[in-house]
């Protein structure tokens, strides 16, 4: 055992060195990218390729870039200007990683970070990022101070907002032949969020137990189910509600509230499922052991030992999710999800700013109230 | 001077004339007013919501239209008030339950029917004009010999939820709300399409396995723009939000002026936060020139991030350990030194972690903001979608998913390291 230990440490250290080298390589690649961007932007001015022409390289450029950045990374590792070593708390010519105390002591006794070697690199990279961002996004303070003529028109019209169609439907705006007022659509939007949350929570609740390690991790089959459920949560969570809305708008119908509900539901299942199952994993094992010792089955363990511990936080998460769903459902119409967004984007496209102002104020009032209410309720519950 | 009385009784002012007594009267009076009023408002609100929803369902199911009231508004008002009064007098109302109170006799026993009726009658002359509630105890409580006491389960058999009035109310509310929601959002043909037309999305899924390789380079460029939009918006938002957060922390803003600034900033921020970045993007797209689309997107993300980060930062500041501040202050440090040695060490890591979190959100949001025309990959997606170029749209979606997943993983790992 004692003889195996150094080898193990050595292997870990080798891996860390590799990761450090990789990080340095990536940061130098980033620098090269930035340089290429500025070169393209200022010197070449090739009209067609100037459009974010960041990856245009001559044929010999790619190998040169790859090898050149790698060489720079190696040089950095050797001279000490290495961000990767710093990030992994490695130091050159040292047998072991620095401990936290040593690092702290070194920092307190030594130079300020912007005069250390890695600090110089970090500051340079930050400056490069800001400069790149400034040019890629085309930040233009002048455009902010001098608004376009359309903006002046909008500002003069939007105050005061026109609440004429709050209760009485606007004859110019129809959805599938039916007239809707702002209030009608706002209520419909809240209902969409409600349905999505209830459906999502109803599906996520049983799934969350299948995705909890302390419930499932007693047998190989259990581990398999756990892995599958967790993978499902992770994959579906990273697909955004808006993308789901695109899919369901094609599937069901563009502008159908059901498409928005389904999109919100799918994302809610994944997000709530993850939160729920993490909560289940964090419970106190004492009651579980007690019920098991009394001869309880798995269902009884869940009913009498797990559920009482997690129900308050389940409520809190569900309320939180409802809040998010209300926010999302107001704009999901953009990609065909239905709700008050239909009206919002209709007035925006028509340029009826006063009516748009009324819609926006209604949305703000509702979202703000939901935020406040769910915050207060969550405070009470937990 | 009559004999046998202490001198103070005759020469001193009576207690009700002293300033303390007046202050006490108003202090306890307003506390009582607030308690009773919040219970009444909660009950009326609960009844009103249920009533409106039931009307909504009835109108929707009988006529197919959308409507909210079947009766004139004054009948609605009287009905709501009366229902709340009855509920509070004869049962344990929603408001009582939220406030964790119950109606008992002053000696703690169950009220009799006569007392309940008296309470109900006096409720109207006491709660509706509001000012009698300044008296402690309130006239309707005093007149009926009842009072609101903290609820206790001692010596009682717990009832299942379906035998409590609040439980029945909540069940009804959920049932009616779900019926209303389903009746207005779900139509039969949509439901049929949901179960029969899954095949129409196959064109997306197919492109996930055979993406359009000719647009990959272009998509990566757009992806880079999106990442930089989020990065720029986040970094500028941090610069604004950090100073603002100190002004929005309750424990640092003492005094009248401080509390005023605190309130103004908190309210402004919460209003700004309730407007989605997409709506901000609509506004800024009109504001700046058309060719500056990514800039408009950045401005939208920036505004929303400032308000969100200020809130997160300020909440963190409010929960710092005051012991360290006292310790540093005890050494004779000035305010700047207190900030440097007691406050900042406590907040650096959470601030970085919130910033990463916000950066993560901003990348998601940047894709969405692009859809309204804010530049970056969202705009490309919208372009392909409106042009019915499904395979290209699917390819772009694949890239968005990969980006969001990667950033999510990265920021979660980094935040776990920081914590």
């Amino acid at each position: 055992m004692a003889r195996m230990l150094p080898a193990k440490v050595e292997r870990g250290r080798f891996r860390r060195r590799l990761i450090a080298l990789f990080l340095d390589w990536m940061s130098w690649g980033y620098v090269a990218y930035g340089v290429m961007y500025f070169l393209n932007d200022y010197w070449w001015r090739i009209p067609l390729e100037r459009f974010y022409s960041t990856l245009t390289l001559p044929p010999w450029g790619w190998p040169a870039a790859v090898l050149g950045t790698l060489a720079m990374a190696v040089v950095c590792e050797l001279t000490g200007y290495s961000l990767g070593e710093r990030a992994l708390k490695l130091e050159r010519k040292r047998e072991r990683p620095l401990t936290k105390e040593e690092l702290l002591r070194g920092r307190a006794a030594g130079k300020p970070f912007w005069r250390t070697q890695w600090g110089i690199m970090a500051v340079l990279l930050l400056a490069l990022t800001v400069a790149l961002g400034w040019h890629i996004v085309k930040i233009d303070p002048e455009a902010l101070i001098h608004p376009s003529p359309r903006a002046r028109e909008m500002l003069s019209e939007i105050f005061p907002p026109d609440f004429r169609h709050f209760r009485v439907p606007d004859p110019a705006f129809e959805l599938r032949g039916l007239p809707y007022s702002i209030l009608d659509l706002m209520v419909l939007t809240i209902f969409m969020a409600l349905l999505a949350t209830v459906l999502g929570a109803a599906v996520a609740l049983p799934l969350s137990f299948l995705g909890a390690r302390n419930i499932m991790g007693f047998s190989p089959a259990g581990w398999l189910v756990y892995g599958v459920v967790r993978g499902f949560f992770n994959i579906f969570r990273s697909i955004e509600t808006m993308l789901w809305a695109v899919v369901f708008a094609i599937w069901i119908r563009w502008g159908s509230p059901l498409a928005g509900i389904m999109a919100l539901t799918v994302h809610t299942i994944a997000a709530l499922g993850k939160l729920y199952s993490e909560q289940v994993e964090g419970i106190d094992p004492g009651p579980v052991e007690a019920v098991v010792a009394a001869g309880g089955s798995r269902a009884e363990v869940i009913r009498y030992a797990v559920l009482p511990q997690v129900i308050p936080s389940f409520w809190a998460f569900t309320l939180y999710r409802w809040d998010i769903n209300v926010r999302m459902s107001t704009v999901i119409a953009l990609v065909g999800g239905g709700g008050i967004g239909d009206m919002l984007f209709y007035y925006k496209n028509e340029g009826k700013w006063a009516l748009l102002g009324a819609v926006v104020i209604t949305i703000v009032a509702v979202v703000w109230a939901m935020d406040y209410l769910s915050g207060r309720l969550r405070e009470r519950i937990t | 001077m009559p004999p046998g009385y202490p001198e103070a009784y005759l020469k001193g002012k009576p207690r009700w004339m002293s300033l303390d007594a007046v202050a006490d009267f108003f202090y306890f009076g307003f506390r009582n007013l607030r308690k009773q009023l919040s219970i009444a408002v909660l009950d009326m609100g609960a009844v009103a919501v249920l009533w409106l929803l039931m009307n909504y369902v009835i109108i929707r199911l009988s006529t197919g239209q959308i409507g909210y009231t079947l009766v004139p508004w004054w009948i609605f008002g009287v009905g709501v008030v009366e229902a709340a009064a009855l509920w509070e007098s004869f049962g344990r109302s929603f408001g009582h339950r939220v406030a964790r109170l119950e109606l008992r006799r002053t000696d703690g026993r169950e009220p009799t029917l006569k007392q309940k009726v008296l309470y109900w009658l006096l409720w109207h002359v006491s709660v509706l004009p509001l000012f009698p509630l300044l008296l402690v105890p309130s006239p309707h409580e005093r007149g009926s010999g009842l009072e609101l006491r903290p609820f206790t389960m001692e010596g009682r058999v717990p009832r299942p939820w379906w035998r409590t009035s609040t439980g029945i109310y909540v069940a009804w509310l959920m049932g009616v709300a779900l019926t209303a929601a389903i009746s207005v959002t779900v139509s039969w043909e949509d439901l049929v399409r949901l179960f029969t037309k899954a095949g129409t999305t196959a064109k997306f899924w197919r492109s996930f396995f055979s993406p359009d390789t000719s647009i990959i380079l272009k998509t990566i460029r757009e992806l880079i723009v999106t990442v930089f939009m989020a990065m720029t918006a986040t970094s500028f938002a941090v610069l604004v939000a950090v100073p603002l957060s100190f002004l929005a922390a309750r424990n640092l803003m003492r005094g009248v002026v401080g509390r005023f600034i605190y309130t103004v900033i908190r309210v402004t921020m919460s209003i700004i936060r309730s407007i989605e970045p997409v709506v901000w993007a609509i506004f800024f797209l009109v504001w700046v020139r058309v060719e500056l689309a990514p800039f408009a997107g950045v401005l939208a993300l920036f505004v929303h991030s400032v308000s969100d980060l200020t809130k997160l930062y300020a909440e963190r500041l409010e929960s710092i350990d005051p012991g360290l501040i006292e310790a540093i202050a005890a050494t004779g440090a000035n305010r700047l030194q207190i900030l440097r040695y007691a406050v900042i060490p406590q907040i650096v890591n959470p601030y970085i972690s919130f910033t990463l979190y916000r950066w993560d959100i901003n990348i998601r949001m940047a894709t969405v903001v692009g859809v309204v025309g804010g530049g970056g990959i969202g705009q490309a997606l919208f372009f392909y979608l409106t042009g019915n170029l499904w395979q290209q749209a699917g390819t772009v979606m694949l890239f968005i998913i990969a980006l969001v997943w990667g950033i999510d993983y990265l920021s979660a790992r980094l935040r776990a390291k920081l914590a």
Side-chain angles (χ1 to χ4, degrees):
Chain A
M1 201 64 205
R3 286 179 52 161
M4 277 168 70
L5 209 56
K8 214 173 166 186
V9 168
E10 197 53 46
R11 199 169 66 230
R13 183 172 161 70
F14 183 64
R15 222 184 79 208
R16 288 156 73 102
R17 294 299 304 239
L18 266 187
I19 295 174
L21 182 68
F22 182 72
L23 280 177
D24 281 339
W25 192 6
M26 287 296 107
S27 43
W28 276 103
Y30 179 60
V31 171
Y33 162 79
V35 170
M36 283 309 299
Y37 181 86
F38 283 119
L39 282 181
N40 278 333
D41 206 34
Y42 284 117
W43 295 350
W44 292 2
R45 298 268 169 184
I46 303 167
L48 279 179
E49 290 295 332
R50 214 173 67 77
F51 183 66
Y52 312 136
S53 47
T54 45
L55 294 169
T56 27
L57 285 178
W60 46 266
W62 280 105
V66 171
L67 292 178
T69 49
L70 182 58
M72 285 310 290
V74 172
V75 169
C76 269
E77 295 268 306
L78 296 179
T79 51
Y81 286 88
S82 168
L83 279 178
E85 286 184 344
R86 170 73 198 185
L88 296 177
K89 299 193 173 66
L90 289 163
E91 194 164 293
R92 266 181 328 129
K93 291 177 190 134
R94 213 174 247 278
E95 291 311 309
R96 59 188 172 78
L98 285 177
T99 62
K100 203 167 181 180
E101 287 74 31
E102 280 172 326
L103 273 173
L104 281 176
R105 200 156 8 97
R107 201 184 300 167
K111 307 170 192 168
F113 84 94
W114 61 86
R115 289 185 54 201
T116 58
Q117 290 176 329
W118 70 271
I120 294 170
M121 287 295 292
V123 170
L124 279 179
L125 276 181
L126 264 180
L128 178 71
T129 304
V130 170
L132 262 183
W134 191 279
H135 286 270
I136 288 182
V137 176
K138 298 190 203 145
I139 288 185
D140 188 357
E142 193 257 348
L144 193 60
I145 300 164
H146 303 291
S148 65
R150 268 178 76 213
R152 291 210 196 88
E153 182 195 323
M154 175 184 73
L155 278 187
S156 62
E157 277 183 24
I158 208 165
F159 296 110
D162 186 354
F163 277 95
R164 175 182 322 167
H165 297 303
F166 183 73
R167 189 69 191 81
V168 185
D170 183 357
F173 172 79
E174 300 195 321
L175 285 176
R176 296 174 289 282
L178 285 176
Y180 285 98
S181 65
I182 297 177
L183 180 65
D184 295 344
L185 278 179
M186 197 66 240
V187 172
L188 188 140
T189 308
I190 297 173
F191 281 155
M192 279 169 64
L194 176 73
L195 270 185
T197 314
V198 170
L199 267 177
V203 178
L205 185 68
L207 279 186
S208 68
F209 291 106
L210 300 182
R213 207 175 311 178
N214 52 351
I215 304 278
M216 299 308 292
F218 297 114
S219 62
W223 275 111
L224 185 69
V225 173
Y226 164 80
V228 169
V229 171
R230 269 306 175 90
F232 164 80
F233 286 161
N234 280 334
I235 293 169
F236 278 56
R237 215 161 46 86
S238 65
I239 305 180
E240 277 217 55
T241 317
M242 286 289 183
L243 298 187
W244 280 117
V246 169
V247 172
F248 280 107
I250 305 290
W251 183 337
I252 296 170
R253 195 170 32 139
W254 186 275
S256 146
L258 187 61
I261 293 174
M262 291 311 296
L264 290 169
T265 305
V266 172
H267 199 257
T268 303
I269 291 172
L272 274 186
K274 178 170 174 281
L275 289 174
Y276 283 176
S277 49
E278 274 170 7
Q279 204 62 39
V280 172
E281 280 176 3
I283 58 166
D284 173 16
V288 178
E289 279 161 24
V291 174
V292 171
S297 67
R298 196 173 279 192
E300 281 167 336
V301 167
I302 290 177
R303 168 69 188 84
Y304 293 105
V306 182
L307 270 183
Q309 290 192 55
V310 293
I311 276 195
S313 42
F314 275 22
W315 274 114
F317 287 138
T318 313
L319 280 171
Y320 170 66
R321 195 62 216 177
W322 189 33
D323 186 19
I324 292 179
N325 279 347
V326 169
R327 281 160 192 269
M328 289 303 296
S329 59
T330 57
V331 291
I332 208 169
L334 183 64
V335 283
I340 199 169
D342 277 326
M343 196 176 238
L344 187 78
F345 297 112
Y346 170 76
Y347 285 142
K348 176 223 153 197
N349 292 338
E350 297 282 309
K352 292 179 178 168
W353 301 115
L355 296 170
L356 179 71
V359 177
V360 169
I361 289 175
T362 313
I363 293 178
V364 169
V366 168
V367 170
W368 189 85
M370 287 287 164
D371 190 29
Y372 178 77
L373 265 182
S374 94
R376 281 296 290 270
L377 277 174
R378 271 182 282 147
E379 244 170 50
R380 264 197 100 80
I381 290 171
T382 50
Chain B
M1 183 188 284
Y5 284 93
E7 202 166 326
Y9 270 40
L10 301 170
K11 285 199 173 161
K13 277 187 194 166
R15 177 165 151 67
W16 57 268
M17 278 181 75
S18 77
L19 210 56
D20 277 359
V22 176
D24 274 5
F25 173 78
F26 280 109
Y27 177 73
F28 290 108
F30 275 109
R31 255 181 44 167
N32 187 42
L33 178 76
R34 201 178 142 208
K35 183 177 82 179
Q36 300 275 356
L37 191 63
S38 48
I39 290 174
V41 166
L42 269 175
D43 286 336
M44 290 182 204
V47 174
V49 167
L50 184 60
W51 181 316
L52 288 175
L53 278 174
M54 286 179 73
N55 284 350
Y56 192 90
V57 169
I58 292 171
I59 295 172
R60 179 80 195 164
L61 292 184
S62 58
T63 68
Q65 305 288 315
I66 293 177
Y68 303 93
T69 44
L70 289 165
V71 292
W73 64 268
W74 60 270
I75 296 185
F76 169 69
V78 170
V80 164
V81 169
E82 209 43 53
L86 286 170
W87 196 2
E88 279 177 28
S89 311
F90 292 96
R92 186 156 176 249
S93 77
F94 181 68
H96 290 166
R97 193 166 261 253
V98 171
R100 296 188 180 122
L101 295 171
E102 65 175 335
L103 201 60
R104 304 292 271 181
R105 275 159 63 164
T106 36
D107 54 6
R109 283 182 295 160
E110 279 286 339
T112 61
L113 185 63
K114 199 181 134 203
Q115 280 178 315
K116 285 180 182 171
V117 173
L118 206 55
Y119 185 89
W120 172 62
L121 289 173
L122 289 172
W123 190 92
H124 294 86
V125 294
S126 174
V127 174
L128 292 181
L130 285 183
F131 66 86
L133 293 180
L134 282 176
L135 298 171
V136 184
S138 329
H140 60 304
E141 288 179 306
R142 185 190 287 242
S144 60
L146 302 176
E147 65 175 354
L148 287 173
R149 298 162 71 100
F151 180 75
T152 160
M153 276 309 290
E154 233 175 73
R156 277 198 259 176
V157 185
R159 280 205 225 160
W161 64 266
W162 61 86
R163 290 199 49 214
T164 63
S165 60
T166 307
I168 295 169
Y169 167 78
V170 171
W172 255 105
L173 184 74
M174 301 255 286
V176 175
L178 285 181
T179 316
I182 291 171
S183 76
V184 72
T185 56
V186 182
S187 67
W188 182 249
E189 58 260 40
D190 282 356
L191 215 54
V192 170
R193 291 177 68 84
L194 176 66
F195 286 107
T196 56
K197 296 286 183 180
T200 48
T201 54
K203 46 201 173 194
F204 281 127
W205 312 127
R206 213 172 295 135
S207 73
F208 278 18
F209 299 102
S210 57
D212 182 359
T213 44
S214 66
I215 62 161
I216 283 183
L217 208 60
K218 211 165 132 206
T219 311
I220 289 177
R221 283 179 197 160
E222 300 285 358
L223 217 56
I224 289 170
V225 175
T226 299
V227 173
F228 270 100
M229 275 168 69
M231 212 118 88
T232 325
T234 316
S235 38
F236 283 110
V238 170
L239 289 185
V240 179
V242 168
L244 272 184
S245 70
F246 284 89
L247 298 180
R250 198 196 298 241
N251 53 347
L252 302 182
M253 301 303 284
R254 295 267 167 75
V256 180
V257 182
R259 202 34 78 81
F260 178 73
I261 297 174
Y262 161 82
T263 315
V264 168
I265 292 182
R266 272 300 176 93
V267 169
T268 323
M269 288 303 153
S270 75
I271 290 174
I272 292 178
R273 217 155 41 83
S274 330
I275 305 181
E276 283 278 296
V278 173
V279 179
W280 281 115
I282 292 175
F283 174 74
F284 282 117
L285 275 167
V286 177
W287 188 271
V288 302
R289 295 194 304 277
V290 182
E291 61 269 24
L292 294 179
F295 181 43
V298 167
L299 284 174
L301 293 176
F302 166 77
V303 169
H304 200 258
S305 307
V306 166
S307 57
D308 197 27
L309 279 181
T310 304
K311 177 175 168 266
L312 288 173
Y313 287 171
E315 272 170 10
R316 178 61 223 182
L317 265 179
E318 279 171 7
S319 63
I320 58 173
D321 176 14
L324 276 173
I325 298 181
E326 278 161 27
I328 303 280
T331 63
N334 60 26
R335 291 193 78 138
L336 213 61
Q337 284 167 326
I338 292 177
L339 204 65
R340 167 71 186 79
Y341 293 103
V343 179
I344 289 181
Q346 290 193 59
I347 59 174
V348 166
N349 274 4
Y351 271 33
I352 295 175
S353 127
F354 287 142
T355 310
L356 281 172
Y357 169 69
R358 188 62 218 184
W359 178 58
D360 179 10
I361 292 180
N362 272 348
I363 284 187
R364 289 157 189 263
M365 284 294 171
T367 60
V368 177
V369 160
V371 177
V372 285
I377 196 146
Q379 208 168 7
L381 177 68
F382 197 63
F383 172 75
Y384 292 129
L385 277 178
T386 47
N388 289 350
L389 298 164
W390 304 119
Q391 201 198 356
Q392 283 76 4
T395 312
V396 171
M397 277 164 74
L398 188 64
F399 272 93
I400 294 179
I401 292 166
L403 174 75
V404 168
W405 187 81
I407 298 290
D408 189 34
Y409 178 76
L410 192 70
S411 106
R413 277 295 291 271
L414 284 175
R415 275 184 284 146
K417 256 213 151 78
L418 280 173

